[in-house]
Amino acid sequence: IAGITQAPTSQILAAGRRMTLRCTQDMRHNAMYWYRQDLGLGLRLIHYSNTAGTTGKGEVPDGYSVSRANTDDFPLTLASAVPSQTSVYFCASSEAVGGGEDTQYFGPGTRLTVL
Amino acid sequence: GQNIDQPTEMTATEGAIVQINCTYQTSGFNGLFWYQQHAGEAPTFLSYNVLDGLEEKGRFSSFLSRSKGYSYLLLKELQMKDSASYLCAVRDSNYQLIWGAGTKLIIKP
């Protein structure tokens, strides 16, 4: 069982280019999340999906879009990358069956540099 | 606004005990989490508190006081592999996690 996988591991991107970060989980979790992590700041939620077919905006959604066509995949797209989107991006998932602990489990991350 | 505060960095000695504090001000409270994150790796779950008191898991314990907006993570019998960042996160009224910036723990032999 792989858990959560992310691709690519790292990427250097020219400003203005379009980029999709991939995230796949094999735990049949209902909820998935995209965070960015920047030095000196806590993880910040970009977008989330409570179940397949639905998505929601987090704390820092501008410049990013997501889709959730099925339970396993939750891609994050940067339509036109800017240098301020240089960050480490983590995908996470949780069971989200209602109440309780609902721990989030994280993928290995994608390190993105926008020049 | 919502805020999670934790010390930026702490240093401790191998074999000793260290306490990492976390204070929070959030819109609602639906549980507090501690995660460990080694450099260059993903955060991994350590503990969850939703009621006041102490939760113990081996060498790690976590305490919560909801009335004080306060939690701590206690690490006993420190090992070199415990060198990592420790992240405190609170689930708010929207059931989203609000994260602290993390505490970098340095273990010295």
Side-chain angles (χ1 to χ4, degrees), chain A residues 5-11 19-24 34 76 108-110:
Chain A
T5 58
Q6 293 185 236
T9 302
S10 65
Q11 182 75 43
M19 176 75 192
T20 295
L21 308 186
R22 299 184 298 279
C23 174
T24 300
W34 273 106
L76 176 74
T110 293

Side-chain angles (χ1 to χ4, degrees), chain A residues 5 16 22 24 33-34 41-42 47 58 62 65-66 68 74 84 86 94-95 104 107 109:
Chain A
T5 58
R22 299 184 298 279
T24 300
Y33 314 84
W34 273 106
L41 298 177
H47 285 286
D62 294 344
S65 63
V66 292
R68 186 90 183 276
F74 191 42
S84 61
T86 294
S94 68
E95 282 191 310
Q104 292 186 15

